[in-house]
Amino acid sequence: QEIPTVDAGSGVVDIMVDAGIVSSNGEARRLILGGGISIDGQKVTDDVRIEKLSLLKKGKNSFVLIR
């Protein structure tokens, strides 16, 4: 399956909701607080803005390309 792609310039929560890998902002925030989200291999601990080409990873198998 193809990796979903989202434009940069948004926060991590908005990117995950826009890509459809989470169903709500609350679910996205819980995943961030639980350590289930990483960007380019670095764990995310806050809803940071992403401005550059990155690969967001949820768990083991869900990816979103940010460009």
Side-chain angles (χ1 to χ4, degrees):
Q1 78 191 32
E2 193 173 314
I3 297 176
T5 304
V6 178
D7 292 328
S10 311
V12 175
V13 170
D14 293 332
I15 286 171
M16 290 195 297
V17 173
D18 290 348
I21 63 169
V22 295
S23 57
S24 67
N25 288 356
E27 182 184 353
R29 285 191 201 95
R30 281 191 294 278
L31 279 166
I32 290 170
L33 290 173
I37 304 298
S38 62
I39 296 175
D40 297 332
Q42 301 289 321
K43 289 262 187 239
V44 176
T45 56
D46 199 12
D47 184 17
V48 294
R49 255 178 102 74
I50 302 182
E51 300 290 348
K52 62 181 174 59
L53 182 67
S54 304
L55 185 66
L56 183 142
K57 182 177 172 189
K58 171 189 153 198
K60 287 186 182 265
N61 300 353
S62 298
F63 297 92
V64 177
L65 182 64
I66 304 157
R67 57 177 172 171

